[in-house]
Amino acid sequence: MRRAGPVWQAVACMLALAGCATLPPEPPPDAPRIAGRLSVRVDAEPVRAVTASFELRGDASNGLLLLSSPLGAAMAEARWSPGSTVLVSPNGKLRYADLDDMAAQTLGERLPMAALFEWLRGRPWTGAPHFALAPPASGFEQLGWQVRLERWAEGFVEARRGSPPPVTVRARLEEST
């Protein structure tokens, strides 16, 4: 029975070291940046919704996402690079396989994160076919989502997926480089 003590100590030490593992590096200072307000609503039972101010730096392969409450309190920080996606929140640090997996685990629904980076810039993602929405609508459809750009000049983007459960992502962009 005395032998088990060192084994459990080693396991506890390994778990502690895994929790202290470094975050993926931040993108370089000259990386593309988008900031504004974001809301995501999943119309399922129960309805899941998140509203936050956000700052997004980098791209789908290497980036940083900061989320804060409407009052400015830090809610979460996500960092990713090839092979590593980490979310740090008041609940601790969690690792995910990729950005889509992180969205699925935190929101309960997968979002096309690589495409979302381009959609927030008002353009289709180059990784999948798309087609323009029928006039008078402005925007496009891609990956089963309608990306509406009627208010693009004012900084608004809306992406909706109609298939169950319906999901709506709305963004009000305040800064973009």
Side-chain angles (χ1 to χ4, degrees):
M1 193 118 194
R2 293 187 110 188
R3 286 186 184 183
V7 171
W8 286 113
Q9 288 173 348
V11 168
C13 185
M14 287 171 46
L15 289 173
L17 288 173
C20 295
T22 60
L23 293 171
E26 283 194 33
D30 62 344
R33 181 178 179 273
I34 302 174
R37 292 183 304 256
L38 181 73
S39 71
V40 179
R41 179 181 168 98
V42 179
D43 289 318
E45 283 298 323
V47 170
R48 296 178 298 275
V50 175
T51 299
S53 293
F54 77 96
E55 178 181 341
L56 177 62
R57 286 188 276 159
D59 57 30
S61 64
N62 182 16
L64 168 72
L65 174 65
L66 301 172
L67 296 175
S68 55
S69 73
L71 297 176
M75 292 171 54
E77 175 182 328
R79 289 192 198 181
W80 59 91
S81 61
S84 180
T85 300
V86 177
L87 177 68
V88 180
S89 73
N91 296 330
K93 187 187 311 182
L94 297 169
R95 293 190 175 280
Y96 298 95
D98 55 35
L99 285 171
D100 291 351
D101 186 46
M102 181 183 73
Q105 295 297 319
T106 57
L107 297 170
E109 199 60 41
R110 292 188 91 67
L111 298 178
M113 297 300 289
L116 188 61
F117 285 92
E118 298 303 316
W119 296 352
L120 290 174
R121 288 184 160 70
R123 60 187 182 226
W125 179 48
T126 60
H130 70 280
F131 59 89
L133 296 177
S138 176
F140 54 90
E141 187 165 326
Q142 188 172 42
L143 300 171
W145 291 72
Q146 280 196 358
V147 180
R148 308 294 298 244
L149 301 172
E150 285 87 359
R151 297 182 59 200
W152 174 249
E154 301 166 54
F156 288 96
V157 176
E158 180 179 275
R160 288 186 182 199
R161 184 187 75 192
S163 63
V167 179
T168 303
V169 177
R170 290 187 175 108
R172 167 69 164 100
L173 308 177
E174 297 165 354
E175 292 181 48
S176 182
T177 60

